[in-house]
Amino acid sequence: MPQDIPPREGRTQAPAGAGAQMTPAEAEAVARAAHDGQRDKAGRPYAEHLRAVAEGVRARGGGDDLVAAAWLHDALEDGALSEEWLDAAPLPQGAKDVVRAVTKRPGEEPRAYARRILATPGARLVKAADLAHNADPRRLAALDEPTARRLAHKYATMRGHLGLGPDD
């Protein structure tokens, strides 16, 4: 499947074998290929973040559709995959809706972003797993202090907008 999805290139048709729904393992392969070579703010391979979010979704009770969405949650925002690719992807509409809901738009106010997430079934769970990994103290410790402080505040603010408690 990954060879069907060139990194950072738009797609206008579904990947080969589009008759069946994409499994979480196939979504993982697509996400890994799409984000190949990308690093997070601490210089770690970006796929580690995607894996942690997918595992966090599963641990929070998310089913296969939400796990697939978790693997793809940053693909549009990062430009790794296009809207056209997502439109044509063999994913349930709900998973596509979650990916779109958690995709922050340029210049978007955090409250508007949170409202869209809250209005989309499953998106809050995916965003909760994303925020939990982003705010992990071990991850933040790898950053310079001003960046870590800024991001911790940003993540805490979004958790508040989403009504997430310490155990979410």
Side-chain angles (χ1 to χ4, degrees):
M1 174 83 66
Q3 66 275 12
D4 292 342
I5 312 299
R8 307 199 194 295
E9 289 183 19
R11 298 269 306 170
T12 57
Q13 57 188 5
Q21 293 296 307
M22 187 179 289
T23 66
E26 290 168 330
E28 174 184 353
V30 168
R32 285 181 181 276
H35 290 277
D36 187 45
Q38 189 176 356
R39 301 275 179 186
D40 69 11
K41 290 174 182 62
R44 303 289 309 156
Y46 203 73
E48 290 178 9
H49 171 63
L50 302 176
R51 179 182 38 77
V53 174
E55 289 173 356
V57 165
R58 182 72 76 199
R60 288 168 173 78
D64 285 353
D65 293 354
L66 289 181
V67 172
W71 276 106
L72 298 167
H73 81 277
D74 279 335
L76 297 182
E77 187 173 317
D78 292 350
L81 295 172
S82 70
E83 282 278 349
E84 294 79 15
W85 181 89
L86 187 62
D87 285 340
L91 289 165
Q93 189 59 50
K96 293 177 185 186
D97 293 344
V98 167
V99 171
R100 286 188 177 94
V102 300
T103 299
K104 188 146 186 344
R105 299 169 186 161
E108 184 172 33
E109 292 295 320
R111 287 183 194 272
Y113 178 46
R115 281 192 299 273
R116 185 175 63 254
I117 290 168
L118 292 171
T120 306
R124 182 176 181 264
L125 190 146
V126 171
K127 190 62 181 177
D130 180 42
L131 289 167
H133 187 248
N134 282 338
D136 183 314
R138 293 168 298 195
R139 227 170 151 225
L140 291 173
L143 305 174
D144 62 84
E145 188 176 331
T147 300
R149 194 171 37 250
R150 177 182 58 79
L151 291 175
H153 179 265
K154 173 184 166 183
Y155 303 144
T157 299
M158 184 53 63
R159 290 179 63 77
H161 290 325
L162 296 173
L164 294 169
D167 296 328
D168 290 321

